[in-house]
């Protein structure tokens, strides 16, 4: 059991070290020697867990994908309208991108031309947003005349843009930045029958939900 625990810790250290190196250098320039040094393990220990760099990168992406899955699951379990789940998920994802190098590297590898392997988190994120907006539309949550396809393009473009820009400046990933985006979008996006707010809801003692129409008159 002790050996298994040690092996699990070593593997996790390698994944984190790889994420740091991939995020800083990109997939192609990153070397296994640099990753093993950063993890504080020998090259032999690295190769015991990962035969090559591609498998190590896949482990980073897989762990990032699992983290994103949990973020979405927690937002869904938190209740609220479909649009509110979308808002809450974007807030939590941007917050995690600011502090979790594995999630950050997982997204960046999806845009790295030298990687080009599945899964690609940006594409998964896009499909999820498209699905959520289609659900919101079916529930009557979108304002009259709003196209789910057009709305998804705008939201994907902005959130992926924040993810990319946040790699250089974490301010792009701040709650204030994300809230400002939703402040701009929600009054046009959400129907008056879909209570939704631009800040993360209600788990932190926030005031009751308000409709977009009510928010506009505050």
């Amino acid at each position: 059991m002790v050996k298994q625990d040690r092996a699990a810790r070593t593997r996790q250290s390698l994944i984190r070290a790889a994420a740091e190196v991939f995020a800083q250098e990109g997939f192609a320039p990153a070397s296994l020697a640099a990753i093993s040094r950063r993890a504080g393990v020998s090259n032999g220990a690295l190769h015991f867990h990962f035969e090559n760099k591609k498998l190590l990168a896949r482990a980073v992406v897989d762990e990032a994908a699992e983290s994103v899955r949990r973020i979405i699951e927690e937002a869904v379990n938190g209740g609220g309208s479909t649009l509110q789940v979308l808002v809450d998920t974007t807030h939590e994802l941007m917050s995690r991108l600011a502090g979790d190098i594995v999630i950050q590297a997982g997204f960046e590898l999806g845009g790295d031309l030298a990687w080009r392997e599945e899964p690609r988190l940006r594409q998964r994120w896009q499909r999820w947003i498209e699905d959520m907006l289609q659900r919101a539309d079916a529930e009557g949550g979108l304002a009259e005349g709003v196209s789910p396809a057009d709305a998804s393009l705008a939201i994907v473009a902005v959130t992926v843009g924040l993810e990319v820009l946040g790699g250089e400046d974490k301010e792009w990933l701040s709650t204030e930045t994300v809230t400002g985006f939703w402040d701009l979008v929600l009054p046009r996006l959400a129907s008056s029958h879909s209570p939704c707010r631009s800040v993360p809801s209600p788990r932190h003692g926030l005031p009751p939900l308000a409709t977009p129409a009510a928010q506009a008159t505050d």
Side-chain angles (χ1 to χ4, degrees):
M1 184 64 69
V2 173
K3 290 179 67 175
Q4 290 176 343
D5 289 344
R6 186 183 303 118
R9 288 195 299 270
T10 299
R11 186 178 192 279
Q12 197 58 39
S13 296
L14 285 165
I15 291 173
R16 179 171 181 84
E20 292 172 354
V21 174
F22 291 144
Q24 290 175 0
E25 301 180 10
F27 177 74
S31 70
L32 291 178
I35 292 169
S36 63
R37 283 197 304 271
R38 185 164 299 214
V41 304
S42 67
N43 286 334
L46 185 153
H47 284 285
F48 174 80
H49 290 278
F50 301 101
E51 184 178 344
N52 54 52
K53 186 168 65 170
K54 181 174 287 189
L55 291 176
L56 186 48
R58 182 177 294 279
V60 171
V61 175
D62 286 346
E63 183 163 318
E66 175 60 19
S67 295
V68 173
R69 186 198 64 78
R70 289 196 299 267
I71 289 169
I72 291 171
E73 182 178 61
E74 289 172 7
V76 170
N77 291 340
S81 68
T82 299
L83 280 182
Q84 190 63 56
V85 170
L86 178 56
V87 171
D88 290 350
T89 303
T90 59
H91 272 286
E92 182 63 19
L93 178 60
M94 296 304 139
S95 174
R96 293 287 297 279
L97 279 165
D100 190 325
I101 191 63
V102 175
I103 297 179
Q104 180 185 335
F107 271 93
E108 289 184 2
L109 280 167
D112 191 324
L113 294 178
W115 167 240
R116 310 306 290 176
E117 297 283 337
E118 295 292 344
R120 298 185 208 164
L121 292 187
R122 289 174 185 166
Q123 284 79 358
R124 285 191 176 188
W125 176 245
Q126 177 181 347
R127 289 194 294 271
W128 182 76
I129 290 176
E130 291 169 348
D131 180 61
M132 293 298 285
L133 286 167
Q134 289 169 359
R135 292 186 190 184
D137 188 43
E139 296 167 0
L142 299 187
E144 185 176 354
V146 172
S147 160
D150 291 343
S152 67
L153 286 175
I155 294 170
V156 170
V158 170
T159 53
V160 171
L162 294 176
E163 174 248 315
V164 173
L165 292 166
E168 297 294 330
D169 181 358
K170 300 305 183 191
E171 185 62 28
W172 288 103
L173 303 172
S174 68
T175 298
E176 292 76 15
T177 299
V178 181
T179 299
F181 164 66
W182 285 117
D183 279 339
L184 182 66
V185 170
L186 280 177
R188 176 68 180 91
L189 180 67
S191 74
S192 59
H193 307 295
S194 179
C196 192
R197 62 184 303 129
S198 57
V199 294
S201 67
R203 291 175 293 234
H204 304 292
L206 297 171
L209 294 176
T211 64
Q215 289 175 334
T217 59
D218 288 345

